[in-house]
Amino acid sequence: MPHGHKFDPSMRGHLLDPKRTRYLPPRAILAKFPITSGIVAVDIGCGPGYWTIPMAEIVGPSGRVYAVDIEEEMLAELRAGLADRPGLNVQVFRSMEDRIPLPPKSVDFAFLACVLHELDGPGTLREAARVLRPAGSLGVVEWKKMRQLEGPPYRHRLSVRQAREALDRGGFTAGDPFEAGPYHYAVVARLKTG
Ligand SMILES: C[S@@+](CC[C@H](N)C(=O)[O-])C[C@H]1O[C@@H](n2cnc3c(N)ncnc32)[C@H](O)[C@@H]1O
């Protein structure tokens, strides 16, 4: 069932629509984040795996990607996609708003693409902070606060300032925003110190 500002899982096909790659090319955008061969990453709100699969290609066999989502339908679609890609090191888990099922300090990079505006409070970001290693970072891709037919309604979108405030409440200090295609901005955030 669709609920509030969360993405309706029955619409998951849109997330893998090839036309999305025209305005949000995953490899080119992932290249702007600190993702390298051998790291451990978590794709939070992975959906059917639009970013998970290219991320797993980048981290390679010596790295690992954990893919988590609160919606089982999304995870089932991702598992089906992974069945054709046996060489990729991806582990898929169901998460909850306030629980990412990973040990503390277990990942180098956490990623939230088109998810920050769907979060209900700071619980998921605090979990991201918990599972990140101290030198790790969080990458965010979000819809620009603009009116357009594609994507979430204007009222659900976060300005850069609102995104920074949400990150701050979740335990992160956001760096400067940068472009991620015509409709999205991106931010790399670090764990707050002290
Ligand atoms: C708009 S979709 C984006 C999916 C994927 N990141 C992408 O860009 O293709 C948002 C996803 O975040 C998931 N989600 C929403 N809130 C979440 C949370 N607190 N923790 C984990 N996943 C969440 C939704 O179930 C949905 O799959």
Side-chain angles (χ1 to χ4, degrees):
M1 284 285 289
H3 35 90
H5 56 307
K6 300 280 189 194
F7 191 86
D8 177 356
S10 72
M11 306 293 279
R12 61 192 179 279
H14 286 285
L15 297 169
L16 297 177
D17 187 335
K19 92 170 188 266
R20 197 175 179 213
T21 63
R22 283 189 230 137
Y23 63 81
L24 201 58
R27 283 300 282 243
I29 292 172
L30 289 174
K32 298 178 183 224
F33 291 98
I35 308 172
T36 51
S37 172
I39 71 160
V40 179
V42 57
D43 185 7
I44 301 170
C46 58
Y50 183 77
W51 306 92
T52 311
I53 288 176
M55 204 183 292
E57 290 168 350
I58 298 169
V59 307
S62 60
R64 173 172 299 175
V65 176
Y66 296 111
V68 303
D69 201 290
I70 56 173
E71 290 288 352
E72 186 52 46
E73 281 173 76
M74 295 293 196
L75 300 177
E77 183 93 24
L78 172 56
R79 286 193 195 96
L82 288 168
D84 301 330
R85 307 294 308 272
L88 296 180
N89 197 359
V90 178
Q91 291 193 9
V92 180
F93 297 118
R94 182 128 185 219
S95 61
M96 291 183 286
E97 195 71 39
D98 294 322
R99 182 71 188 157
I100 295 173
L102 291 174
K105 300 184 173 65
S106 55
V107 309
D108 303 297
F109 181 70
F111 190 57
L112 284 167
C114 309
V115 176
L116 191 65
H117 69 277
E118 294 194 11
L119 299 183
D120 289 327
T124 302
L125 286 172
R126 289 187 184 156
E127 276 294 274
R130 183 185 65 79
V131 303
L132 267 179
R133 294 182 178 135
S137 57
L138 172 75
V140 172
V141 173
E142 263 305 316
W143 288 90
K144 289 180 184 170
K145 183 88 179 167
M146 59 193 271
R147 295 179 199 279
Q148 63 181 121
L149 289 175
E150 194 82 36
Y154 181 81
R155 68 183 184 283
H156 290 169
R157 297 180 181 217
L158 302 176
S159 65
V160 170
R161 184 175 158 187
Q162 289 170 318
R164 295 180 83 89
E165 289 169 355
L167 289 164
D168 180 71
R169 285 192 294 275
F172 291 90
T173 303
D176 291 334
F178 53 94
E179 290 284 312
Y183 309 139
H184 295 78
Y185 61 87
V187 169
V188 174
R190 305 261 168 207
L191 289 168
K192 271 196 230 171
T193 49

